[in-house]
Amino acid sequence: MPSSHPAAPAPAPAPRTTAWWLPPLLGTLAAAALAWLCSEPLRGPGTPSFWLLGHLVPVALLAWAWLSPRGPAHHARRVLLGALACLWTAVYVPLLYVVVTVVLVAMLLTGHVHS
């Protein structure tokens, strides 16, 4: 027996973001440029090479941005992850200098290093 209720309209398809790759791509390019410009003091002779491992944090953030689900609901996450990767890349070397300086001063004041 046919239903007396009219058929419900089909839900409108969710708009797809065709350029889902744009925020991760821009974040990757900007972070790579910042890493090249900002890590120059770490590439000098006598600098421990493991200090460059701090640049793996932006790589992980950008990988998360690239591998996030595609769609308009996750667009803001990809933009935020790309921005965080660029921010970490820009502040990593100055932050490293601050930490090393604080540790050196603490060691000097406690008598662990003799000047």
Side-chain angles (χ1 to χ4, degrees), residues 58-87:
V59 170
L61 290 170
L62 289 169
W64 190 11
W66 279 104
L67 300 174
S68 288
R70 293 165 178 91
H74 302 283
H75 182 76
R77 177 187 301 162
R78 286 190 300 274
V79 170
L80 177 66
L81 289 170
L84 285 175
C86 291
L87 178 67

Side-chain angles (χ1 to χ4, degrees), residues 29-47:
L29 294 175
L34 282 169
W36 180 255
L37 292 173
C38 296
S39 71
E40 195 273 326
L42 296 180
R43 291 184 300 225
T47 305

